Amino acid sequence: MILTGPEITAAAHDGRLRITPFAADQVNPNSYNVRLGPTWITYTSTVLDPHRPNPTNATSIGSDGHILQPGELYLGHTLEEVGSDTFVPLLFGRSSVGRLGLFVEITAPIGDIGFHGQWTLMLTPIRPLRVYEGMKIGQIMFFVSTGAIDLYRGKYQAAAGPQPSAYWRDLARLRAVAS
């Protein structure tokens, strides 16, 4: 089951989910609009390697916005901190943004129960596109879970700002267990 807009509002007020800051005008019939945060990062290496940390460059979006270029992966973030110990959140790009040729969060839309923080957004434009801090970039839906809940305790917990891939940490953990 998916939460309706009124239930999202009720759950945000009674603590079953957290959206900070919460704005009633961002509630949709069955989702909540999230806005683009002020910072994004890009990778600086021409070849990315999941076995080690990859260097990044951070950029702030100015008041005139910033033009995203095709062929580049931008890691942005939600302005809002979103999470729940009860519901499964899924984040998708807004259709209005998709109609401008911006892919948002295509490969990893599902959040884990127990994650709380700003969501990293994988942004890929198909043509040059100016984006602005605070623009409504995506929408999060919340689904009811069934069964026992094992809360998220992963490497991205309490994320603030865009987070580069930490895949290499999984490999390091596996090597430590194998030793």
Side-chain angles (χ1 to χ4, degrees):
M1 294 187 306
I2 187 171
L3 268 61
T4 63
E7 188 61 19
I8 290 170
T9 299
H13 284 88
D14 68 23
R16 290 176 290 148
L17 65 87
R18 184 176 71 207
I19 302 172
T20 307
F22 179 85
D25 65 347
Q26 288 175 226
V27 177
N28 297 316
N30 59 325
S31 65
Y32 185 89
N33 287 327
V34 290
R35 297 169 294 161
L36 183 61
T39 307
W40 78 82
I41 58 176
T42 53
Y43 291 105
T44 58
S45 297
T46 55
V47 175
L48 300 178
D49 186 345
H51 284 217
R52 55 191 47 86
N54 292 280
T56 61
N57 182 43
T59 304
S60 293
I61 301 173
S63 60
D64 293 335
H66 185 83
I67 299 174
L68 304 181
Q69 297 296 328
E72 183 67 68
L73 170 63
Y74 298 89
L75 298 178
H77 66 95
T78 61
L79 189 61
E80 294 80 11
E81 292 181 12
V82 179
S84 177
D85 291 348
T86 306
F87 304 112
V88 178
L90 272 82
L91 187 147
F92 297 96
R94 295 184 70 230
S95 64
S96 296
V97 173
R99 292 172 188 167
L100 293 170
L102 182 62
F103 294 109
V104 177
E105 210 64 32
I106 297 300
T107 62
I110 192 166
D112 287 312
I113 294 175
F115 170 81
H116 294 273
Q118 292 177 328
W119 286 50
T120 294
L121 305 171
M122 293 158 278
L123 307 171
T124 306
I126 62 166
R127 62 188 307 172
L129 175 67
R130 186 179 303 273
V131 295
Y132 298 89
E133 175 186 349
M135 69 183 283
K136 293 176 184 173
I137 195 84
Q139 53 191 4
I140 296 184
M141 296 181 289
F142 300 92
F143 291 83
V144 175
S145 60
T146 60
I149 293 175
D150 183 17
L151 295 177
Y152 176 80
R153 294 179 300 277
K155 57 190 168 283
Y156 301 112
Q157 185 65 280
Q163 303 295 307
S165 175
Y167 185 93
W168 57 274
R169 290 185 184 169
D170 296 336
L171 299 172
R173 188 174 19 251
L174 287 174
R175 284 191 279 262
V177 170
S179 300

